[in-house]
Amino acid sequence: MNNIVLVSHGDMAEGVKSSLEMIVGEQPNVFTVSLRTDVKQFETDLLSVLEKLEGKVLVIADLLGGTPANTVVKHFLTDENVLIISGMSLPLVIEASLITDDIDVLIEVGKNGVTNVKEQMALLSDCDE
């Protein structure tokens, strides 16, 4: 993926980008836009970031139906160069930044990132016996 824009309520987008870069190194093609208290400022910031980017852009929002996602949809729903998904998570962002821009694959990564750790560890223990 050429460019990724993380949009969220509060500091989530910056936190996910910070964690991403801790794990995989600097990601100059990953941008963040965060909603604080001023929706109009968020909209201005979003448009400013996206107008500077060339090529395909993947926007990953924190929450379907939330103001950040809704604002992206308001401006870019019909833009074929802007792909939009929600349900931001660190595994999803790592996958998007390093491996693929296939939305179906990214959605599966997001779904598979949620697991019952104790159950998985018990399954691994059973395999070791």
Side-chain angles (χ1 to χ4, degrees):
M1 177 54 57
N2 292 341
N3 296 294
I4 299 170
V5 179
L6 308 176
V7 299
S8 71
H9 297 83
D11 296 327
M12 181 179 184
E14 287 89 353
V16 169
K17 181 178 180 187
S18 176
S19 296
L20 168 71
E21 291 183 331
M22 179 185 289
I23 295 167
V24 302
E26 187 176 352
Q27 297 294 302
N29 66 321
V30 177
F31 305 88
T32 63
V33 184
S34 296
L35 173 62
R36 306 281 183 224
T37 56
D38 186 346
V39 174
K40 289 201 180 290
Q41 186 61 55
F42 172 80
E43 190 168 23
T44 299
D45 294 346
L46 175 70
L47 295 173
S48 175
V49 168
L50 278 145
E51 74 182 13
K52 295 175 187 171
L53 301 178
E54 296 179 9
K56 293 264 187 198
V57 176
L58 172 63
V59 178
I60 303 175
D62 60 348
L63 181 66
L64 177 64
T67 300
N70 289 347
T71 305
V72 174
V73 167
K74 173 182 168 184
H75 291 282
F76 300 101
L77 183 62
T78 60
D79 188 329
E80 293 182 11
N81 286 319
V82 178
L83 307 172
I84 309 166
I85 61 176
S86 66
M88 183 189 312
S89 68
L90 185 55
L92 169 63
V93 174
I94 291 171
E95 185 85 10
S97 67
L98 295 179
I99 300 169
T100 187
D101 62 354
D102 182 316
I103 288 202
D104 293 328
V105 170
L106 293 173
I107 290 170
E108 279 304 307
V109 167
K111 288 178 182 177
N112 293 335
V114 177
T115 189
N116 182 332
V117 175
K118 287 185 175 184
E119 184 178 278
Q120 292 299 316
M121 296 307 293
L123 290 172
L124 290 173
S125 294
D126 291 345
C127 289
D128 290 341
E129 294 175 355

